[in-house]
């Protein structure tokens, strides 16, 4: 009788760490944007072949959507935390802008906000719309908090909550772009301080 053969394992074992590969894809999208990041760029950054990318993540759009989700949880949640933890809308916005100045200029990773930058020059309608919804949801969250403070008497009754929320969104988006253009944390913090002077007082 011949020696018994060792059964061959079914399928080829994945030879990379999925979470590490996803983080590398996130950084590539964050640096270049969705449209300008090719599958070749992604496989190079992730150090995997295209078949492995498709098997683990689906197509480029699916990979991007997962990367955006991780970005929101790991790097972009400071605004949500401020809204949840601060006692007033004003304090929440002030903290959000101050933390944006720090997050958008942090060393060792791309500057600015991935959700804002990744939409630049994007010609894929579904991706563009998904990112737009995220940005508008952030503005809506600020508006709800501002309206709640108006109702509670913490802001004057004639406060334009929608305009004030959009002003906050515009500041965040502008700070993101300025960070990518080389603005320092200190410069963005000074900008945030000026931005808060438009807030009404009771």
């Amino acid at each position: 009788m011949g020696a018994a053969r060792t059964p061959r394992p079914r399928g080829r074992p994945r030879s990379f760490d999925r979470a590490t590969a996803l983080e590398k894809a996130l950084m590539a999208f964050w640096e270049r944007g969705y449209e300008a990041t090719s599958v070749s760029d992604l496989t190079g950054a992730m150090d995997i072949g295209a078949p492995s990318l498709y098997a683990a993540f689906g197509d480029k759009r699916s990979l991007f959507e997962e990367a955006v989700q991780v970005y929101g949880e790991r790097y972009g949640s400071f605004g949500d935390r401020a809204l949840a933890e601060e006692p007033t809308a004003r304090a929440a916005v002030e903290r959000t802008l101050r933390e944006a100045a720090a997050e958008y200029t942090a060393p060792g990773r791309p500057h600015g906000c991935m959700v804002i930058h990744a939409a630049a020059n994007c010609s894929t309608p579904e991706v563009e719309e998904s990112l737009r919804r995220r940005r508008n949801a952030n503005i809506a969250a600020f508006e709800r908090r501002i309206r709640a403070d108006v109702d509670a008497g913490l802001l004057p009754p004639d406060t334009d909550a929608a305009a004030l929320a959009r002003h906050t969104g515009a500041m965040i988006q502008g700070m993101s772009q300025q960070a990518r253009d080389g603005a320092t944390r200190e410069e963005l913090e000074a900008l945030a301080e000026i931005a808060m002077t438009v807030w009404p007082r009771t």
Side-chain angles (χ1 to χ4, degrees):
M1 291 179 63
R5 289 185 178 179
T6 303
R8 294 179 64 184
R10 292 186 179 181
R12 190 174 176 183
R14 186 176 291 162
S15 59
F16 65 94
D17 181 77
R18 191 180 190 282
T20 300
L22 179 58
E23 178 74 9
K24 290 177 179 177
L26 186 161
M27 291 296 166
F29 283 127
W30 192 352
E31 179 63 42
R32 301 183 181 95
Y34 176 79
E35 206 70 35
T37 306
S38 66
V39 171
S40 177
D41 292 330
L42 291 166
T43 56
M46 299 162 78
D47 196 27
I48 61 175
S52 294
L53 185 154
Y54 292 126
F57 300 100
D59 58 11
K60 173 184 168 181
R61 181 180 158 195
S62 298
L63 173 58
F64 177 72
E65 288 173 353
E66 191 170 346
V68 169
Q69 184 67 32
V70 171
Y71 172 85
E73 295 166 358
R74 189 170 300 161
Y75 303 105
S77 60
F78 57 88
D80 291 339
R81 288 197 304 270
L83 284 170
E85 296 170 5
E86 294 300 324
T88 65
R90 180 189 179 91
V93 168
E94 187 170 16
R95 172 176 160 182
T96 296
L97 295 181
R98 188 174 64 250
E99 293 191 7
E103 290 291 334
Y104 293 169
T105 58
R109 62 182 194 234
H111 285 176
C113 171
M114 177 184 176
V115 174
I116 294 169
H117 174 65
N121 302 316
C122 182
S123 60
T124 306
E126 296 84 1
V127 171
E128 190 177 24
E129 176 58 26
S130 173
L131 294 172
R132 183 185 300 116
R133 281 198 305 269
R134 284 179 175 272
R135 294 192 300 272
N136 285 338
N138 290 337
I139 292 172
F142 285 117
E143 183 176 348
R144 285 192 299 271
R145 186 63 188 278
I146 293 166
R147 290 191 187 282
D149 277 15
V150 172
D151 293 341
L154 299 172
L155 286 169
D158 61 348
T159 298
D160 190 335
L164 204 50
R166 287 213 167 271
H167 173 263
T168 301
M171 291 306 305
I172 291 169
Q173 291 171 25
M175 288 170 72
S176 173
Q177 184 58 54
Q178 289 201 18
R180 292 192 68 86
D181 287 345
T184 65
R185 174 177 177 173
E186 291 73 22
E187 288 170 334
L188 295 183
E189 286 175 341
L191 186 63
E193 189 174 338
I194 293 171
M196 294 308 300
T197 63
V198 309
W199 273 66
R201 300 276 186 179
T202 51

